[in-house]
């Protein structure tokens, strides 16, 4: 029984020789290449090829992804099931720090406490999967104790969306799809961003503030990797969207469970451990490359 997929390649520049090399690699892997298309906007170029697999088993799909990943140096290629790209309603869920936005908010907050270098080292270790996320979060937030609450406003003003983030959300929303974010960061920073983008769902950790100052603690359960997967499943179910039609995007070890549970997991400028297991990778600074992967 055959199965249909689409190979989607993207890079700042896609030469004809790149396309020919990918097509040859797909054909050599036993794939029938059908309709092809190219597009681009001056920032990056995209090549898409509809393909037919002999059986479409998980093993066959994994092997095709391995072949495509090594086909063209400097060019990323995602292999996406046609059932996802053609789904009438899709669910996009993203990490926030270093994905939806360019910065790590905890590092911006720590800078106001004179502890940025110390906190950055812990953050990077946690995102590589070397530390328990919840324990590392509590340790990093502890250095914020005593900061005035208005530091949150200062940090919020420093936050910048990733290139293409607003365009990605707008494209999904305009097509009638659902967009969510789940963050190991903080509600006080995320709320105005989420509301401004018109996100359907969002959640993050809550910084405790008492008498106008940060206490160095967070309230409630930490949003860790298990929580991210939980919310993906809960929100998609609430919308009546099967997991096969979901797209998850993240960059760190905290996102691994969510990426693994989604119909396709995308590593965005991610740590090596995440790139190694994700279904697709984006190594450009343009988050809206995800819309081409998803067929939106």
């Amino acid at each position: 029984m055959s199965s249909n997929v689409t190979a989607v390649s993207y890079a700042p520049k896609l030469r004809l020789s790149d396309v020919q090399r990918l097509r040859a690699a797909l054909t050599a892997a036993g794939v029938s290449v059908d309709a092809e298309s190219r597009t681009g906007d001056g920032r990056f170029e995209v090549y898409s090829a509809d393909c037919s697999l002999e059986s479409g088993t998980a093993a066959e799909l994994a092997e095709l992804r391995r072949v495509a990943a090594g086909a063209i140096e400097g060019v990323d290629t995602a292999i996406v099931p046609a059932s996802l790209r053609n789904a009438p309603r899709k669910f996009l869920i993203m990490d926030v720090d270093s994905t939806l936005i360019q910065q790590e908010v905890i590092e911006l907050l720590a800078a106001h406490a004179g502890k940025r270098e110390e906190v950055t080292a812990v953050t990077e270790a946690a995102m590589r999967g070397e530390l328990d996320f919840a324990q590392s979060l509590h340790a990093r937030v502890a250095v914020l104790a005593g900061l005035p609450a208005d530091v949150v406003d200062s940090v919020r003003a420093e936050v910048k969306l990733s290139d293409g983030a607003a365009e990605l959300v707008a494209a999904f929303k305009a097509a009638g799809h659902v967009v969510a974010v789940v963050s190991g960061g903080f509600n006080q920073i995320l709320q105005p961003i989420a509301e401004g983008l018109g996100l359907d769902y969002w959640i993050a950790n809550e910084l405790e503030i008492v008498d106008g100052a940060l206490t160095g603690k967070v309230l409630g359960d930490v949003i860790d990797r298990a929580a991210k997967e939980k919310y993906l499943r809960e929100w998609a179910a609430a919308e009546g969207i099967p997991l096969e039609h979901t797209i998850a995007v993240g960059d760190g070890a905290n996102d691994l469970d969510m990426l693994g549970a989604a119909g396709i997991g995308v590593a965005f400028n991610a740590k090596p451990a995440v790139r190694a297991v994700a279904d697709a990778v984006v190594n450009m600074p343009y988050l809206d490359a995800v819309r081409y992967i998803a067929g939106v």
Side-chain angles (χ1 to χ4, degrees):
M1 179 178 177
S2 65
S3 177
N4 296 324
V5 299
T6 299
V8 186
S9 298
Y10 34 91
K13 187 68 177 175
L14 269 173
R15 299 165 298 180
L16 177 59
S17 60
D18 293 329
V19 172
Q20 292 171 335
R21 193 173 294 112
L22 176 65
R23 191 187 298 123
L26 293 172
T27 301
V31 173
S32 173
V33 178
D34 303 317
E36 300 171 88
S37 65
R38 293 191 65 165
T39 187
D41 62 4
R43 298 172 303 146
F44 61 91
E45 299 177 0
V46 182
Y47 164 76
S48 300
D50 294 336
C51 307
S52 297
L53 296 179
E54 185 174 335
S55 63
T57 63
E60 187 180 16
L61 185 60
E63 174 60 16
L64 185 58
R65 283 174 170 157
R66 186 194 66 78
V67 169
I72 320 169
E73 186 176 354
V75 176
D76 296 319
T77 299
I79 303 296
V80 191
S83 57
L84 187 155
R85 286 174 57 88
N86 297 332
R89 289 187 79 225
K90 304 169 191 177
F91 185 94
L92 170 65
I93 186 167
M94 296 179 283
D95 173 45
V96 176
D97 291 29
S98 297
T99 301
L100 182 72
I101 65 174
Q102 297 179 24
Q103 299 89 353
E104 292 283 337
V105 166
I106 186 66
E107 295 174 9
L108 299 181
L109 288 166
H112 288 267
K115 300 284 188 178
R116 181 165 189 158
E117 186 174 327
E118 171 187 327
V119 166
T120 297
V122 177
T123 298
E124 290 178 351
M127 290 303 97
R128 290 192 300 264
E130 297 168 2
L131 299 174
D132 175 80
F133 181 82
Q135 291 178 347
S136 74
L137 179 71
H138 288 307
R140 287 175 288 163
V141 172
V143 309
L144 308 179
L147 285 177
D150 60 11
V151 75
V152 171
D153 298 323
S154 299
V155 166
R156 193 182 297 126
E158 297 177 54
V159 168
K160 294 182 179 180
L161 291 174
S162 292
D163 291 339
E167 292 82 357
L168 174 64
V169 173
F172 265 77
K173 295 291 292 177
H177 305 306
V178 182
V179 184
V181 297
V182 59
S183 175
F186 308 105
N187 280 328
Q188 286 93 337
I189 303 295
L190 180 56
Q191 180 174 351
I193 297 173
E195 292 176 348
L197 290 172
L199 301 181
D200 298 286
Y201 299 91
W202 59 272
I203 193 166
N205 297 299
E206 184 81 14
L207 288 167
E208 184 180 57
I209 297 174
V210 176
D211 296 330
L214 275 63
T215 66
K217 299 178 182 178
V218 292
L219 300 172
D221 295 332
V222 169
I223 304 298
D224 58 8
R225 59 190 288 175
K228 289 189 173 190
E229 179 187 353
K230 182 190 76 155
Y231 284 110
L232 160 63
R233 293 180 180 276
E234 285 185 3
W235 293 339
E239 293 289 337
I241 299 174
L243 283 178
E244 291 80 7
H245 298 165
T246 64
I247 306 99
V249 187
D251 73 300
N254 199 34
D255 303 312
L256 284 172
D257 293 1
M258 174 176 76
L259 268 59
I264 189 165
V266 182
F268 179 69
N269 295 313
K271 305 299 182 290
V274 181
R275 293 199 306 268
V277 298
D279 300 314
V281 299
V282 174
N283 290 314
M284 306 183 298
Y286 310 117
L287 189 60
D288 53 328
V290 173
R291 68 176 294 193
Y292 296 98
I293 295 173
V296 174

